[in-house]
Amino acid sequence: MQKIGGVYLTDKPMVLYIVSDSVGETAEQVAKAVIGQFDTRNYELRRFPFTTEKAQLQEVISEAKNENAIIVFTMVINGLREFLVEEAEKANVRTLDIMTPLLNLISKELNMKPKKEPGTIRRLDEKYFKKIEAIEFAVKYDDGKDPRGINKADIVLVGISRTSKTPLSMYLAHRNIKAANVPLVPEVAPPKELFNAPSEKIIGLTTNPRKLIEIRQERLKALGLKDGANYASMERILEELDYADKVMRKLNCPVIDVSTRAVEESASIILEIFKEKGYKVGSTK
């Protein structure tokens, strides 16, 4: 055994076969974590993903025997795990089951039977990353920052200031839905992308003017400004609501009054509208 640069190198590399009825990432990461505890680089990891047939397992066992390899595996499909262990034992091939001991322990603790479905971790990861992607999308295309988001969005929310556009966008993002929102201001023409987008994916938001005055006055106080500013005046609010109504009519989109509704309720109505239209949005499961 030689030591080069503080790392021991054996004459013959240790070979680990990573076998799984799914991708095999779990077993590979565990194997790497364990090997990392030793001062050696003289090893090989060979992954055999989606091994779901007994014939495939026989081939893996035969190859492992020829290379004196250790089989590290995660198998949840009924019958395959038992077959692998029995056949490997007959061939004098060493095996290590990464998943079953913990699976049995948790099953006993929860008094539940495991699903025995391969790839559940990956599906959960994909769902998680879709949610993160939708949240990042909502932040990037919030408040009309970039009109290009209108074409990329599953849902586009339009309305005047303080009509819950941002909270709704974030709530929908947690349902894996990419939502962009565009403010409607009389002095600023809406982006052309809004009128080129399918009306089926646009939702207008409106509110009661008296309720909006209260909300805007509170907003001004929070900013340390006087609550009598034009932003919170009835005249200004009626002007904005009238302008927004004209734009929404031109867009031919559904309009929801959010004045007495919680964000969750408004989001539920939006999703129901899309369901009735048959317009598919991101996974809401």
Side-chain angles (χ1 to χ4, degrees), residues 122-153:
R122 187 178 182 185
R123 288 198 292 273
L124 286 172
D125 285 346
E126 287 175 352
K127 183 178 180 180
Y128 171 77
F129 286 119
K130 282 181 180 178
K131 180 185 292 186
I132 295 300
E133 184 181 354
I135 292 172
E136 290 176 344
F137 185 93
V139 172
K140 183 176 181 179
Y141 297 109
D142 180 44
D143 206 31
K145 290 175 184 174
D146 186 344
R148 292 176 297 181
I150 294 171
N151 296 325
K152 301 174 183 178

Side-chain angles (χ1 to χ4, degrees), residues 175-206:
R175 303 289 298 275
N176 301 343
I177 297 170
K178 293 180 179 178
N181 69 79
V182 180
L184 299 179
V185 184
E187 293 78 14
V188 181
K192 64 180 185 301
E193 288 86 354
L194 190 60
F195 297 100
N196 294 331
S199 60
E200 290 85 358
K201 74 174 186 178
I202 301 174
I203 297 288
L205 304 175
T206 190

Side-chain angles (χ1 to χ4, degrees), residues 103-284:
L103 194 71
N104 291 338
L105 185 63
I106 292 177
S107 177
K108 184 178 179 180
E109 180 70 19
L110 297 177
N111 194 28
M112 294 172 62
K113 291 184 178 180
K115 295 178 181 179
K116 295 294 181 72
E117 296 176 6
T120 53
I121 292 177
R122 187 178 182 185
R123 288 198 292 273
L124 286 172
D125 285 346
E126 287 175 352
K127 183 178 180 180
Y128 171 77
F129 286 119
K130 282 181 180 178
K131 180 185 292 186
I132 295 300
E133 184 181 354
I135 292 172
E136 290 176 344
F137 185 93
V139 172
K140 183 176 181 179
Y141 297 109
D142 180 44
D143 206 31
K145 290 175 184 174
D146 186 344
R148 292 176 297 181
I150 294 171
N151 296 325
K152 301 174 183 178
D154 297 317
I155 292 176
V156 180
L157 305 175
V158 298
I160 66 174
S161 175
R162 317 315 293 177
T163 51
S164 300
K165 297 187 299 299
T166 297
L168 272 169
S169 294
M170 294 305 297
Y171 183 88
L172 291 169
H174 280 83
R175 303 289 298 275
N176 301 343
I177 297 170
K178 293 180 179 178
N181 69 79
V182 180
L184 299 179
V185 184
E187 293 78 14
V188 181
K192 64 180 185 301
E193 288 86 354
L194 190 60
F195 297 100
N196 294 331
S199 60
E200 290 85 358
K201 74 174 186 178
I202 301 174
I203 297 288
L205 304 175
T206 190
T207 189
N208 179 282
R210 295 192 180 280
K211 180 71 174 178
L212 189 54
I213 284 178
E214 295 176 10
I215 294 173
R216 288 192 175 185
Q217 285 177 342
E218 289 300 318
R219 176 60 175 166
L220 289 172
K221 289 179 183 178
L223 295 173
L225 302 174
K226 294 181 180 180
D227 59 9
N230 186 47
Y231 174 73
S233 71
M234 178 61 78
E235 183 180 358
R236 174 62 183 181
I237 286 173
L238 290 176
E239 179 189 0
E240 289 185 32
L241 286 171
D242 181 60
Y243 171 75
D245 180 65
K246 291 177 181 177
V247 173
M248 292 173 193
R249 287 177 183 275
K250 190 173 181 180
L251 291 170
N252 192 32
C253 65
V255 180
I256 298 173
D257 187 338
V258 299
S259 55
T260 59
R261 293 189 171 98
V263 170
E264 296 83 355
E265 186 181 358
S266 297
S268 179
I269 293 172
I270 290 171
L271 294 176
E272 189 61 33
I273 290 172
F274 277 80
K275 183 179 179 181
E276 290 176 359
K277 286 183 177 182
Y279 191 88
K280 293 183 179 181
V281 295
S283 172
T284 58

